[in-house]
Amino acid sequence: MRVSVAHDYCTQRGGAERVALTLLEAFPGSELLTSLHEPDSTFSGFGDHHVRTSHLQRYGALRQDPRRAFPLLAGAWDRMVVDDVSAVVCSSSGWSHGVRIAPGVRKVVYCHNPARWLYQADDYFHDRSRHVRLAARSLSPRLRRWDRRAAETADLYIANSTTVAGRIKAVYGIDAVVVNPPSALDPADPQEAVEGIEPGFLLSVGRGRGYKHIDVVAEAVSRYGKARLVVVGGYDGVEALPHVTRLEDITDAELRWLYANAAAVVSLSHEDFGLTPVEGFGFGTPAVLLRGGGFLDSMVEGVTGVFAEAPTGTAFIEALEQLPGSYDPVRIRRHALNYTTSTFQHTIAGLLAGERVQVRIAS
């Protein structure tokens, strides 16, 4: 079966990009279709595949920040056509599911979330200017019509969490199969210590987006004064706070070391699924997470960590103080086996072929 993989844009290193790369690796010889590709700022593994981009690729400013292409992306995907494969799997947070297919091509959408800028705009544009928010609001009616038409062209929708499956049902009226994404970091692979970081820190991994609340976590840890926070990604300026260190452009070997040596992975983000705690579980590391979204799928309360009841500094510190001095890393690692790459790839391949695949979660 010849397969193409479509992904919104490949310009950053995030969970959705890891999933897209995992999908490509599941189908040897598959082509990547994407609106924008910036090799220097995304995973190098994309370069191992044939990459077909949209006409927007010629504009460097859009590759630097795809949000600048917001009014143009729907049209770009309308112009991309798949016609020489058996199936296309769209790794989509709102754009790639609009790719056009020829008759007889099976189209499966792996949905990270329905377009956040259309249906959760307050979260998505939280850190943008009033001018940007007004412009986005004016475009929303037209883009909602385009988005719903695009969703209707899919043969099957797959949601990355039960929360996202509920959103797909509410927005599109489509019943989605739930397949949680895998952790792409193998704990058995090499680790490289990060200079100047001592083990026992709290670890936050994520891009600087308003809905991720990395600034709230950083300010809370700074006020708390009893822990150190290491932020991978995040916002410019959080490193100026006491007890906070910010890292950028780290290698996977360094990231594995950070997960293995953290006291806990922390997040107050409204995540659709949220891969970072799952990656940490593979190293036996517990988590302090917001009670909501995809974290409800991946967290086993009391076994793999504790929940914060709200995305506030006070709620985060209350949860942090409930975190025991030690967790059973063997039980945490056992839970992480639910999210292996091989299981994910086998399940997606079966669904893409039209098979009835039963998704099981290990106990």
Side-chain angles (χ1 to χ4, degrees):
M1 182 170 61
R2 295 189 61 204
V3 174
S4 289
V5 174
H7 184 66
D8 297 342
Y9 34 76
C10 295
T11 61
Q12 52 201 5
R13 298 180 181 93
E17 286 70 41
R18 286 196 185 275
V19 170
L21 191 54
T22 300
L23 290 168
L24 284 165
E25 292 166 350
F27 305 102
S30 55
E31 177 186 52
L32 171 68
L33 290 86
T34 188
S35 61
L36 297 159
H37 180 217
E38 186 57 66
D40 292 340
S41 59
T42 192
F43 297 114
S44 60
F46 287 120
D48 297 334
H49 302 267
H50 181 263
V51 180
R52 176 151 60 104
T53 58
S54 76
H55 67 284
L56 301 179
Q57 178 70 11
R58 71 189 72 169
Y59 303 108
L62 303 185
R63 299 197 306 272
Q64 293 300 315
D65 186 353
R67 288 184 294 181
R68 295 169 179 161
F70 179 76
L72 308 173
L73 285 167
W77 280 103
D78 275 338
R79 293 169 63 176
M80 299 186 76
V81 180
V82 181
D83 58 5
D84 57 352
V85 296
S86 305
V88 58
V89 55
C90 305
S91 167
S92 178
S93 298
W95 298 115
S96 68
H97 67 321
V99 66
R100 294 186 176 271
I101 57 171
V105 176
R106 181 169 170 79
K107 183 177 185 179
V108 173
V109 177
Y110 187 83
C111 183
H112 305 283
N113 198 53
R116 189 180 290 273
W117 47 89
L118 294 178
Y119 309 110
Q120 296 168 273
D122 289 343
D123 279 347
Y124 187 80
F125 292 108
H126 171 76
D127 59 342
R128 307 296 281 181
S129 69
R130 180 174 178 273
H131 174 75
V132 169
R133 293 196 301 271
L134 289 173
R137 190 176 300 127
S138 69
L139 291 169
S140 288
R142 177 176 62 84
L143 286 175
R144 282 178 187 244
R145 291 191 295 271
W146 176 89
D147 179 64
R148 287 169 179 158
R149 286 196 303 269
E152 291 170 358
T153 65
D155 295 291
L156 176 69
Y157 249 77
I158 305 172
N160 67 351
S161 71
T162 52
T163 293
V164 168
R167 293 172 186 164
I168 291 169
K169 180 68 173 178
V171 171
Y172 304 130
I174 294 172
D175 292 313
V177 176
V178 177
V179 180
N180 293 147
S183 171
L185 285 182
D186 188 339
D189 284 346
Q191 299 179 17
E192 181 180 346
V194 179
E195 186 177 353
I197 305 295
E198 295 295 326
F201 49 87
L202 304 176
L203 178 63
S204 169
V205 181
R207 297 186 294 270
R209 298 287 189 267
Y211 67 91
K212 290 185 177 289
H213 302 299
I214 294 170
D215 53 340
V216 176
V217 173
E219 290 167 3
V221 171
S222 180
R223 291 195 307 270
Y224 185 56
K226 300 179 184 179
R228 171 158 288 279
L229 175 68
V230 173
V231 176
V232 177
Y235 293 100
D236 290 336
V238 295
E239 67 274 13
L241 294 169
H243 312 294
V244 178
T245 300
R246 181 171 179 247
L247 303 173
E248 293 185 281
D249 300 323
I250 64 169
T251 66
D252 278 357
E254 291 173 321
L255 184 58
R256 282 188 287 270
W257 184 88
L258 290 169
Y259 278 127
N261 288 277
V265 175
V266 299
S267 178
L268 293 180
S269 176
H270 291 291
E271 289 289 352
D272 311 318
F273 176 70
L275 271 175
T276 57
V278 170
E279 291 174 344
F281 296 156
F283 296 85
T285 302
V288 179
L289 306 174
L290 179 67
R291 189 188 295 277
F295 293 150
L296 298 176
D297 281 20
S298 61
M299 175 79 95
V300 180
E301 193 169 10
V303 174
T304 62
V306 297
F307 280 124
E309 300 301 329
T312 65
T314 299
F316 173 74
I317 296 303
E318 288 175 353
L320 185 61
E321 290 183 333
Q322 295 171 19
L323 192 71
S326 63
Y327 266 79
D328 184 347
V330 174
R331 293 185 71 187
I332 296 176
R333 291 192 192 101
R334 186 181 302 128
H335 176 65
L337 295 177
N338 291 307
Y339 307 100
T340 65
T341 295
S342 60
T343 297
F344 174 81
Q345 290 176 330
H346 176 76
T347 302
I348 295 297
L351 290 168
L352 206 60
E355 299 173 4
R356 287 182 173 272
V357 176
Q358 185 173 7
V359 180
R360 295 182 180 273
I361 297 296
S363 59

